[in-house]
Amino acid sequence: DSGVTQTPKHLITATGQRVTLRCSPRSGDLSVYWYQQSLDQGLQFLIQYYNGEERAKGNILERFSAQQFPDLHSELNLSSLELGDSALYFCASSVQTGSKGNEQFFGPGTRLTVL
Amino acid sequence: DQQVKQNSPSLSVQEGRISILNCDYTNSMFDYFLWYKKYPAEGPTFLISISSIKDKNEDGRFTVFLNKSAKHLSLHIVPSQPGDSAVYFCAASGETGANNLFFGTGTRLTVIP
């Protein structure tokens, strides 16, 4: 158990809908990262937050947004969903940012299926 | 554009023998490399890492080798055990300084008892 929790585990929805994925980082970790893993692909970095502020952006679509709250949990919002958004979404956390050697701890992921 | 590549989708090894998983990268700005292990229905678990100032890092049965000139790293597992059967992801960071990781597509290792 990495200490990172993600809810829900599974989500099935229809095209055009909006969903929210939730992540609680390990106790004491200030950085939260979101990754997307599509079928047979590696994990693709979406976005990072550090202590409530956006720190880095990857290949995140404009239809996707995220935020980190004062209690450090984070939410990833996916809107106008398309079939191609079906994927595993992982959240990871680490103690700080910008310092090499910071191991990222991953949650179990949320499997999103768009029908 | 895949900046971290794992060209072998799968590898089978006999128990007790050495497993060698390979990874190539294209971005010379990467300066930190990690290996993660992933079981089904779980998130990736950190295994071992190496800074670009080193060429080898060892932790128990796991050793990572880095060849910067070739932009290549490898993970050696000796001896391999059936519990090592999982998908192994190579990852790299350093381009942005923000510590986000660039992952390869993974290699599925099967250790045959």
Side-chain angles (χ1 to χ4, degrees):
Chain A
D1 183 357
S2 67
V4 178
T5 60
Q6 288 187 249
T7 56
K9 269 184 147 19
H10 302 276
L11 200 47
I12 301 174
T13 188
T15 55
Q17 294 298 304
R18 173 190 168 95
V19 297
T20 298
L21 313 184
R22 183 187 168 103
C23 168
S24 292
R26 288 188 325 152
S27 175
D29 283 358
L30 300 178
S31 264
V32 169
Y33 309 77
W34 286 97
Y35 293 86
Q36 178 193 56
Q37 185 185 20
S38 301
L39 192 63
D40 294 332
Q41 298 289 314
L43 283 74
Q44 300 290 324
F45 170 68
L46 295 178
I47 197 165
Q48 179 203 1
Y49 277 82
Y50 175 72
N51 203 21
E53 294 191 1
E54 183 184 303
R55 179 58 66 100
K57 250 182 174 175
N59 297 324
I60 187 166
L61 299 172
E62 284 193 16
R63 301 183 284 108
F64 296 2
S65 65
Q67 53 185 327
Q68 186 179 28
F69 294 87
D71 67 352
L72 299 177
H73 91 270
S74 177
E75 292 181 356
L76 179 67
N77 301 296
L78 315 177
S79 61
S80 303
L81 284 168
E82 301 175 0
L83 296 177
D85 297 328
S86 296
L88 267 169
Y89 291 84
F90 289 103
C91 168
S93 73
S94 68
V95 172
Q96 52 186 304
T97 187
S99 175
K100 294 298 173 285
N102 280 340
E103 176 186 339
Q104 291 184 24
F105 295 86
F106 282 79
T110 292
R111 181 173 293 281
L112 173 65
T113 302
V114 182
L115 301 176
Chain B
D1 180 29
Q2 193 74 22
Q3 299 186 60
V4 178
K5 299 177 185 179
Q6 293 176 259
N7 293 319
S8 299
S10 63
L11 174 69
S12 290
V13 171
Q14 287 289 134
E15 180 179 4
R17 305 295 290 268
I18 184 171
S19 295
I20 300 177
L21 296 96
N22 294 303
C23 177
D24 298 293
Y25 61 97
T26 58
N27 192 334
S28 57
M29 298 297 289
F30 289 147
D31 61 1
Y32 199 74
F33 304 89
L34 308 89
W35 284 93
Y36 280 82
K37 174 180 178 179
K38 186 180 180 305
Y39 293 117
E42 294 183 13
T45 302
F46 171 75
L47 201 54
I48 191 168
S49 62
I50 187 167
S51 165
S52 61
I53 62 173
K54 295 186 175 182
D55 55 18
K56 176 182 174 182
N57 188 29
E58 195 171 347
D59 184 1
R61 297 185 297 113
F62 303 91
T63 302
V64 56
F65 296 91
L66 175 62
N67 182 333
K68 280 184 65 178
S69 60
K71 294 191 178 70
H72 176 85
L73 62 155
S74 61
L75 174 68
H76 293 210
I77 306 174
V78 183
S80 300
Q81 299 173 354
D84 296 329
S85 297
V87 177
Y88 289 78
F89 289 98
C90 170
S93 71
E95 185 185 51
T96 66
N99 207 37
N100 53 284
L101 298 174
F102 294 82
F103 280 85
T105 51
T107 297
R108 181 177 301 278
L109 173 66
T110 303
V111 180
I112 304 163

